Amino acid sequence: MNKRIEYWFDYVSPYAYLTTQVIEDLAVKYGYSIDWKPMLLGVVFKTTNSSPLTMRPPIMANYHQHDMERSARFAGFPFILPKPFPINTQNTARICLWMKEVAPRRVGEFTRGVTEAYFSGPAGLNDIAWLAEFVSGMGLDGAAAAAACKDEGYKAQLAAACEEAVSKGVFGAPWVIVDGEPFWGNDRLPQLEKWLATGGF
C-alpha cells in the first residue's frame, strides 16, 4: 500500500506555513511520503465564493489575525503578518512544481524556508529574483528556477492543480488528504497524527 499524504497548500497561507514546518516530520515518523500540492487560494476562493480571512469584515479579520499570531506562538515559530498581505504566489508555486521534478527531496526544505522567511519577514515571496537567490542558496540552479516562473508548462501544471483542488473539495489551506480522508486547517494536526499512527479512527 502506498502510504501517502496529499498536502494542498498556498505559500501565502499563515496556517499552511505552520503546518508546512512539521508535516514532513510527521510523514517520516509514521512512514508516509508527501505529495506536495501547491495551489492558489485566490483561484479556489473565486470558485467557492470565499475570501482571505484578513479581508473579511473587521470583527472576523481582527480575530483571525490575532489567532494567527497566537497559533504561531503556540507552535513555537516566528510570525509577523507581512505587508502587503495577501499576495499572489504563482511564481513560488511554479518553482515548487519545477523542484518536484529536478530535486523532489528538497521540496520540503524549499517550502519551509521560503514560508519562514516570508512570515518572519520581510522577504520577497513571489519575487522572481528573490526566489532565484533563495534556490541558489540551496545549491540548486537559481536561473532555471527563475525560468520556471515563466514556463508555459509550469503555468499549465499550476492551473490544472487549482482545478484538481476544487474538484477534490478543497476550499482552504492547509488541506491534507490521507486514505481519502480530508483534514482542513493547522488545528487538525492532532487528528491527522492520530490517523497516521492508527490508520484511521
Side-chain angles (χ1 to χ4, degrees):
M1 182 178 67
N2 182 19
K3 298 175 66 176
R4 184 171 67 101
I5 294 172
E6 197 171 305
Y7 180 46
W8 293 91
F9 64 99
D10 187 330
Y11 284 94
V12 78
S13 166
Y15 294 113
Y17 154 59
L18 298 178
T19 297
T20 292
Q21 306 308 308
V22 300
I23 190 75
E24 199 161 39
D25 288 342
L26 278 178
V28 170
K29 181 177 180 180
Y30 296 105
Y32 281 76
S33 62
I34 296 182
D35 186 5
W36 299 88
K37 306 284 279 187
M39 62 169 179
L40 302 177
L41 281 173
V43 175
V44 172
F45 288 160
K46 287 180 181 178
T47 304
T48 59
N49 196 30
S50 188
S51 62
L53 297 177
T54 56
M55 297 177 68
R56 297 183 182 182
I59 193 171
M60 299 174 67
N62 291 340
Y63 171 80
H64 285 304
Q65 181 171 343
H66 178 75
D67 184 64
M68 292 167 188
E69 295 166 351
R70 179 180 58 202
S71 296
R73 290 197 307 271
F74 181 77
F77 296 112
F79 182 84
I80 300 171
L81 190 66
K83 293 182 180 180
F85 180 88
I87 62 171
N88 294 322
T89 56
Q90 71 273 13
N91 291 326
T92 323
R94 290 169 190 159
I95 288 178
C96 177
L97 294 172
W98 166 80
M99 193 168 292
K100 285 178 69 172
E101 294 180 358
V102 303
R105 296 187 179 184
R106 308 289 300 278
V107 174
E109 177 188 350
F110 169 76
T111 302
R112 287 189 300 274
V114 296
T115 52
E116 183 167 358
Y118 179 59
F119 286 108
S120 58
L125 188 71
N126 205 54
D127 179 80
I128 295 177
W130 184 86
L131 290 165
E133 184 177 356
F134 189 95
V135 170
S136 294
M138 294 175 61
L140 299 173
D141 190 340
C149 297
K150 299 180 180 180
D151 184 276
E152 294 300 324
Y154 294 115
K155 289 181 181 181
Q157 281 189 43
L158 182 56
C162 293
E163 292 179 3
E164 182 186 1
V166 171
S167 74
K168 291 190 171 185
V170 176
F171 56 79
W175 192 281
V176 177
I177 302 174
V178 183
D179 305 324
E181 187 76 11
F183 298 86
W184 173 46
N186 180 69
D187 57 341
R188 292 298 181 264
L189 281 177
Q191 291 186 22
L192 173 61
E193 181 163 12
K194 184 173 181 180
W195 190 281
L196 298 176
T198 64
F201 54 84

